[in-house]
Amino acid sequence: MDIVVKGRKTEVPERFRKHVAEKLKLEKIQKFDAKVIRLDVEVSKEHNPRQADRSDRVEITLRHRGPVIRAEAAATDPYAALDLATEKLESRLRRRHDKRTSRRGSGRIPASEVADTVPGAAVLNGNGKLGAPADEEPEAPAVKKVGPLDVQGEGPLVCREKTHKAAPMSLDQALYEMELVGHDFYLFVDSDTKQPSVVYRRHAYDYGVIHLEPDPFVEEPPHGAGGALGS
């Protein structure tokens, strides 16, 4: 695994490069993720005296076979910023590792044994699918209002509405913002077309972009309308 240290509008001293190699413990990072290919460390400096307490910024980008993992921090000097960014990176790697481990699980119960192990659990019906216990009759699901939608039972629909103010930006800036927040997609207003758009991650390092424009021949969207992200 390579560690690449570079400066943006600032010089990176050799002493700091050596400190980066000592601070970023490769064996510890590879313990959380053995598929790491490269670590990029970018150092930048803010020359505004009003931001003296955040004058030095360090951004660490971990590249592997999946989506990149990024952590950044700002402090009064690059060494303190590196310490903060390293803590954030290790925390994200630890949460990601624990999440993968918990998904694998241990001691899972086969579906055919659930009814014998868990009281009142659903049982397998004649089609081999889970249904209501044999001694209980299914109740009609309750209907509740979630935002503008009617939801039966407990979902599984979770509806939450958010409205954000967004300045128009270029496609390159949208890709950068998506990587910065660590998401697989990013909504934005295209500065060239003025259209609502979304960039999304496809395979490896490929990205896709979807633009929305009104259809003058459609007065009301049909049931189930909407675009799907391509694979």
Side-chain angles (χ1 to χ4, degrees):
M1 180 178 69
D2 298 327
I3 298 180
V4 179
V5 183
K6 57 185 178 181
R8 185 171 61 184
K9 298 181 180 179
T10 186
E11 293 293 331
V12 180
E14 188 62 30
R15 178 188 169 200
F16 182 79
R17 295 179 185 274
K18 293 181 179 179
H19 182 70
V20 169
E22 295 172 356
K23 185 66 179 179
L24 295 175
K25 304 294 185 181
L26 300 185
E27 62 276 6
K28 187 174 183 179
I29 293 175
Q30 289 178 328
K31 180 180 178 181
F32 292 127
D33 192 334
K35 299 180 180 179
V36 177
I37 301 173
R38 194 178 74 186
L39 274 172
D40 292 334
V41 179
E42 184 177 90
V43 184
S44 59
K45 192 170 186 65
E46 173 59 56
H47 298 283
N48 187 345
R50 294 182 179 179
Q51 299 186 16
D53 58 335
R54 298 170 57 84
S55 59
D56 291 272
R57 179 176 296 274
V58 172
E59 180 181 290
I60 306 174
T61 304
L62 184 149
R63 303 187 184 277
H64 58 162
R65 297 180 184 177
V68 301
I69 299 175
R70 181 173 283 109
E72 64 175 333
T76 54
D77 63 80
Y79 295 92
L82 176 65
D83 291 345
L84 293 173
T86 302
E87 289 177 6
K88 289 182 179 179
L89 180 68
E90 291 180 354
S91 176
R92 291 175 184 175
L93 284 172
R94 188 178 295 106
R95 288 200 305 267
R96 185 171 175 270
H97 178 267
D98 292 344
K99 190 174 181 180
R100 287 204 310 263
T101 304
S102 63
R103 281 182 177 176
R104 296 190 189 119
S106 60
R108 291 182 177 177
I109 304 172
S112 59
E113 300 177 6
V114 169
D116 298 331
T117 308
V118 183
V123 296
L124 291 174
N125 57 28
N127 297 325
K129 298 181 180 180
L130 288 175
D135 56 346
E136 296 182 10
E137 294 184 1
E139 298 180 358
V143 179
K144 60 183 177 180
K145 197 76 173 178
V146 180
L149 304 175
D150 291 330
V151 180
Q152 290 188 345
E154 296 299 326
L157 178 65
V158 176
C159 179
R160 183 173 63 177
E161 293 182 327
K162 280 190 175 182
T163 301
H164 294 277
K165 293 182 179 179
M169 65 178 65
S170 65
L171 176 59
D172 288 342
Q173 180 66 21
L175 288 171
Y176 174 77
E177 295 290 341
M178 182 180 72
E179 296 290 359
L180 197 62
V181 299
H183 291 174
D184 290 332
F185 68 92
Y186 190 82
L187 297 170
F188 70 105
V189 178
D190 194 299
S191 57
D192 294 329
T193 64
K194 310 303 181 186
Q195 295 173 329
S197 307
V198 58
V199 290
Y200 62 94
R201 196 184 312 280
R202 299 182 76 246
H203 305 292
Y205 297 108
D206 294 338
Y207 301 95
V209 57
I210 296 174
H211 301 288
L212 295 180
E213 63 179 8
D215 188 340
F217 300 103
V218 177
E219 296 182 357
E220 183 178 349
H223 179 70
L229 297 182
S231 58

